[in-house]
Amino acid sequence: MKKIIFTIFILFPGFLFAASSTELEGGFKLGPALILLTILVLFILVGIIFRAKDTNDFFAAGRKISKVGSGMAIASNWMSAASFLGMAALMYGSGYHGLAYVIGWTGGYVLLLILMAGQIRKYGKYTAADFIGDRYYSKGLRITGAIVAILISIAYCVGQFGGIGLLFKWILGIEYSLAVVIGGSVVLTYTLISGMLGVTKNMQIQYVIIIISFLIPLFLLTYKFDYFWLLPQIGYGSVVSDIVTGIPAPEVAGMLNSFGNDFAISPSPEYAMPWDPSSGKTFFQFMAISFSLMVGTAGLPHVIQRFYVVPKVRDARWSVVWGLFFISILYWSAPVYSALGTILSASPEVGKLSKDAIVVYTAQLGNINPLVVGLLAAGGVSAAFSTVSGLLVAGASAFSHDLYVKVINPNCSPKKQLLMARIATVLMAIIVSLIALLKLALIGQLVAVAFSLAGCTIFPLFLLGIWWSGSNKKGAIAGLLVGGGISLIAIIYFIATKFGLILPAQDFVNYWLGAWYFAWIGAPLAIIANIVVSYFTEETPLAIRKFLVEEVHS
């Protein structure tokens, strides 16, 4: 009966789809395209219904989002293409080493919950740069903070646009460059309409789509291949054992991919054995990535901005708790795709697949109903859209609110401020699209660059700005110079390597200041520089120290 039910589910409604489930690349796929079109129309309608009517709606969603709703929005905003596609891709490519990203991204929210969420909401500013400019009583630092926030948003967006391009390419059967342009144009349109209010409402819907589309294929795959399907996150353990020890072809005759071929699996000890020599990775790199992603999470402008959309301080803390719960469901499940993808793509006619698309390919190779595969791809688009929209709003807020209104034109009208925010959104989308077309690295790795940059620059300013009243303007400048300098060196060497340029001590710098984890040293040095310089310069103004004691830590 089990096989009969599964066969019916597999065959119906396959006739709706023009492309075979075995078609990994190329070709327009009718069913997935219809699902994608449906959710895109839904996103735009929600954006229109809850569109931003004023700057308060555009920047902070009117500060009327509930803690559970905010938690769903945090999870949706967080579960980007890097989470939905990138984590499985990293583990598919490097096995256990990829878990450093799971640990770092999850641990970062614990750090936020303990150290910053409530205090950020109590401080009551719209943006990260707004906090920096006010706390460190400096227009120059406000400008610098806004520029850094925009750069982080752009760096983070590049990976998301890459994910959108991959999925639009797979669904529509078009070139990657055209897919990036089409996908980017759609997300830009609804972000312009929505602002933070519409974006936040959309994120709640997107979370439901993301988690349903991510989990259904896991239940079907583990059910089909007789693993413990009631809880796939545990049931896939025997798959990992097969990957580590290797199995000959006759023993897997019952587990065929969608091409219907037997295949052998060579032993891959690095998949579940940390820092195995065959992985080419070290203990230092694992820990550096975990640490950098943690502090980077606590310094991301679009994450910090989420604490301003709730009405009360208590709601800010609980929104992080709910967000962690919703995030953990997907993070606990991502390794299943990498394990099953490794097994199902091991046959010679498949070969090593594109890592960033392994989530969708795993469902295809497992011969899952094309309707479910299409829903999975649409979930990936939702994940990228939810994060991109939040990033675009954060970057636009930094430009419009922190640069244009606070520095360039303080007397501008709210209508003009909203116009400038939308112009900034368009410019950011164009810049991100152009960089995404270069395909510099995997989605997860590109996102990690943004995290390390945030960890070296914004995180030290928030950590010390909230918890140490002695941190002053000159200390903040010193910390930014040190953290920014290390970031600049790491990024320059990363870009030079990608374009084949040879710089002095290139191997040394690329290892110790890797683009994915340079915050391991940049963040501590920035904090130390801030503390040392603050000790030997004038005290923080009394009004700010009094505000911290009475309002932020009361």
Side-chain angles (χ1 to χ4, degrees):
M1 180 60 69
K2 170 182 172 181
K3 297 299 181 183
I4 293 174
I5 294 172
F6 192 86
T7 301
I8 292 173
F9 190 87
I10 287 293
L11 294 178
F12 183 82
F15 63 89
L16 290 175
F17 297 81
S20 166
S21 65
T22 62
E23 187 176 4
L24 299 181
E25 291 290 355
F28 176 78
K29 299 171 179 64
L30 176 60
L34 290 175
I35 295 172
L36 177 63
L37 179 62
T38 302
I39 67 165
L40 293 181
V41 170
L42 175 63
F43 295 162
I44 292 173
L45 286 176
V46 171
I48 292 172
I49 294 170
F50 295 99
R51 66 187 179 277
K53 300 178 179 65
D54 54 36
T55 54
N56 194 39
D57 281 349
F58 192 91
F59 297 140
R63 287 187 170 143
K64 51 191 176 186
I65 304 299
S66 70
K67 51 182 176 288
V68 177
S70 180
M72 291 179 71
I74 283 174
S76 177
N77 192 27
W78 187 247
M79 291 188 304
S80 62
S83 296
F84 196 98
L85 301 175
M87 282 196 303
L90 289 162
M91 285 178 275
Y92 176 71
S94 58
Y96 187 97
H97 182 76
L99 286 175
Y101 293 81
V102 179
I103 293 168
W105 283 328
T106 308
Y109 265 100
V110 177
L111 198 64
L112 271 173
L113 174 63
I114 295 171
L115 291 179
M116 297 168 71
Q119 288 72 28
I120 288 172
R121 180 63 186 85
K122 282 183 178 181
Y123 209 98
K125 296 300 177 181
Y126 276 127
T127 66
D130 210 7
F131 169 88
I132 292 168
D134 186 84
R135 168 60 182 84
Y136 294 102
Y137 47 97
S138 168
K139 182 181 288 187
L141 281 172
R142 178 188 297 277
I143 294 170
T144 305
I147 293 171
V148 170
I150 292 169
L151 291 175
I152 291 170
S153 297
I154 289 173
Y156 202 149
C157 267
V158 170
Q160 312 312 313
F161 270 54
I164 291 170
L166 278 174
L167 291 171
F168 270 68
K169 173 188 174 184
W170 178 83
I171 292 172
L172 303 179
I174 58 179
E175 290 296 320
Y176 172 78
S177 56
L178 182 59
V180 169
V181 172
I182 293 174
S185 299
V186 175
V187 70
L188 172 62
T189 301
Y190 106 86
T191 303
L192 288 173
I193 294 170
S194 305
M196 185 61 82
L197 180 59
V199 162
T200 301
K201 293 294 184 182
N202 253 320
M203 285 176 181
Q204 295 169 10
I205 296 170
Q206 286 161 345
Y207 175 78
V208 176
I209 295 172
I210 290 167
I211 208 65
I212 288 175
S213 66
F214 201 75
L215 291 181
I216 287 177
L218 291 185
F219 286 104
L220 294 176
L221 286 166
T222 48
Y223 181 84
K224 178 179 180 180
F225 297 120
D226 291 322
Y227 294 108
F228 184 60
W229 62 272
L230 289 175
L231 197 58
Q233 296 84 353
I234 292 176
Y236 84 104
S238 55
V239 185
V240 175
S241 297
D242 288 341
I243 295 170
V244 172
T245 59
I247 50 179
E251 294 185 24
V252 293
M255 186 176 179
L256 307 178
N257 62 32
S258 56
F259 290 92
N261 297 114
D262 292 337
F263 49 87
I265 302 166
S266 300
S268 301
E270 76 279 2
Y271 196 84
M273 299 177 72
W275 320 299
D276 187 276
S278 61
S279 70
K281 308 295 181 182
T282 65
F283 172 79
F284 161 73
Q285 288 175 310
F286 187 94
M287 298 304 295
I289 289 172
S290 298
F291 177 83
S292 295
L293 295 181
M294 283 184 188
V295 297
T297 298
L300 286 175
H302 75 290
V303 171
I304 292 170
Q305 199 161 334
R306 296 244 50 91
F307 302 130
Y308 302 134
V309 305
V310 292
K312 295 181 293 185
V313 173
R314 179 180 173 84
D315 293 337
R317 292 195 185 97
W318 273 104
S319 67
V320 180
V321 175
W322 280 107
L324 266 171
F325 168 72
F326 292 133
I327 289 166
S328 67
I329 298 173
L330 185 138
Y331 274 36
W332 195 23
S333 307
V336 189
Y337 279 103
S338 62
L340 290 171
T342 300
I343 293 277
L344 290 169
S345 66
S347 55
E349 79 283 2
V350 177
K352 205 69 175 174
L353 295 168
S354 169
K355 298 181 182 69
D356 277 333
I358 194 59
V359 168
V360 176
Y361 288 159
T362 298
Q364 281 187 282
L365 290 169
N367 211 18
I368 295 299
N369 189 318
L371 178 66
V372 177
V373 181
L375 179 63
L376 182 63
V381 173
S382 297
F385 271 38
S386 61
T387 302
V388 167
S389 57
L391 287 166
L392 291 178
V393 169
S397 302
F399 175 79
S400 175
H401 181 72
D402 298 306
L403 290 180
Y404 188 76
V405 174
K406 298 289 186 178
V407 179
I408 299 172
N409 185 10
N411 298 318
C412 80
S413 65
K415 185 176 180 180
K416 182 68 174 293
Q417 186 178 356
L418 203 55
L419 174 63
M420 296 308 297
R422 286 174 170 145
I423 291 173
T425 304
V426 174
L427 291 175
M428 280 184 60
I430 293 172
I431 293 169
V432 168
S433 296
L434 293 175
I435 299 174
L437 293 176
L438 298 176
K439 293 198 277 190
L440 294 173
L442 292 174
I443 293 170
Q445 292 171 327
L446 287 171
V447 167
V449 176
F451 279 74
S452 281
L453 180 58
C456 288
T457 53
I458 292 181
F459 171 73
L461 293 177
F462 268 80
L463 180 69
L464 295 175
I466 288 171
W467 291 105
W468 185 44
S469 61
S471 180
N472 61 25
K473 178 172 71 174
K474 290 183 179 178
I477 292 171
L480 264 179
L481 288 173
V482 171
I486 291 173
S487 302
L488 187 63
I489 292 170
I491 292 172
I492 287 174
Y493 272 78
F494 164 64
I495 294 173
T497 301
K498 287 296 175 182
F499 287 97
L501 302 176
I502 304 299
L503 298 177
Q506 189 148 333
D507 291 339
F508 177 86
V509 174
N510 283 340
Y511 180 77
W512 293 104
L513 291 180
W516 334 133
Y517 53 79
F518 56 83
W520 79 271
I521 187 67
L525 288 181
I527 291 171
I528 291 170
N530 190 320
I531 292 171
V532 170
V533 173
S534 294
Y535 260 121
F536 291 100
T537 52
E538 68 276 3
E539 268 195 319
T540 305
L542 178 61
I544 291 175
R545 287 184 281 134
K546 184 178 179 182
F547 179 79
L548 287 171
V549 172
E550 294 179 353
E551 300 296 332
V552 178
H553 296 295
S554 61

